[in-house]
Amino acid sequence: MYKNPETKELKKLIEMSYVLDGNYNTMNVHKLDKFYDDRGIVVRPDYRGYGIALEFFKARRLICKEHGVTMTGAWMTAHGTQKSAQRDGWETVVTVDRDEFAKQMGVTYEPYSPTSIKYMLARIQI
C-alpha cells in the first residue's frame, strides 16, 4: 500500500495503522463486497469547533452512496472526531486503550489526547 516511507516517523505511523487494522476486519465481519476505509478525519487545530468534521462525514456519506458502498469506517483518535462521528451516527465497534497501544508500539501520546482509540463505522443508506 505505502511505498518506501521517507522518515522513521512515517514508517512508525504506517506500522501503527497496520497494527490497529488487525483489530477488526469489517469486510469479513459484515460480509461486504466493498467498503470504504481510511485513517480518520483531521481538522487543523485552529479550525476546530466549526463543524468541519461533520461536513467531511457528510461528503463521505455522499461519496459512498454514489459508489453503492453501504458502510465506511475509520480509526478515530481525537476527542473531536470521536464526538463528531457519534453525532453523525457512527457506531464504535472496537476500542483500544491508548496507553496500552502506546506501550505496545513504543510511542507516547499527548496527555490531552483521548484515553482510547476507536474504530467507528457508518452505515450508508443507498
Side-chain angles (χ1 to χ4, degrees), residues 92-103:
T92 301
V93 293
V94 175
T95 302
V96 174
D97 181 88
R98 176 200 68 193
D99 294 333
E100 287 179 23
F101 183 65
K103 185 177 178 180

Side-chain angles (χ1 to χ4, degrees), residues 20-82:
L20 284 172
D21 286 346
N23 285 289
Y24 195 79
N25 186 319
T26 306
M27 298 275 297
N28 290 344
V29 171
H30 297 278
K31 297 176 180 31
L32 300 171
D33 293 327
K34 54 185 173 176
F35 169 73
Y36 284 170
D37 190 29
D38 74 18
R39 301 294 173 232
I41 302 293
V42 178
V43 177
R44 266 180 62 142
D46 49 334
Y47 288 99
R48 292 179 183 157
Y50 294 104
I52 294 170
L54 283 172
E55 293 302 315
F56 283 147
F57 291 134
K58 285 181 192 176
R60 190 163 170 168
R61 285 180 181 278
L62 289 172
I63 291 166
C64 288
K65 191 170 187 171
E66 183 176 313
H67 292 238
V69 174
T70 59
M71 191 175 285
T72 184
W75 284 100
M76 306 296 179
T77 60
H79 288 291
T81 53
Q82 290 174 359

Side-chain angles (χ1 to χ4, degrees), residues 6 17 19 23 32 35 40 45 60 82 86 105 108 114:
E6 296 181 14
S17 70
V19 170
N23 285 289
L32 300 171
F35 169 73
R60 190 163 170 168
Q82 290 174 359
Q86 280 182 302
M105 299 305 303
T108 57

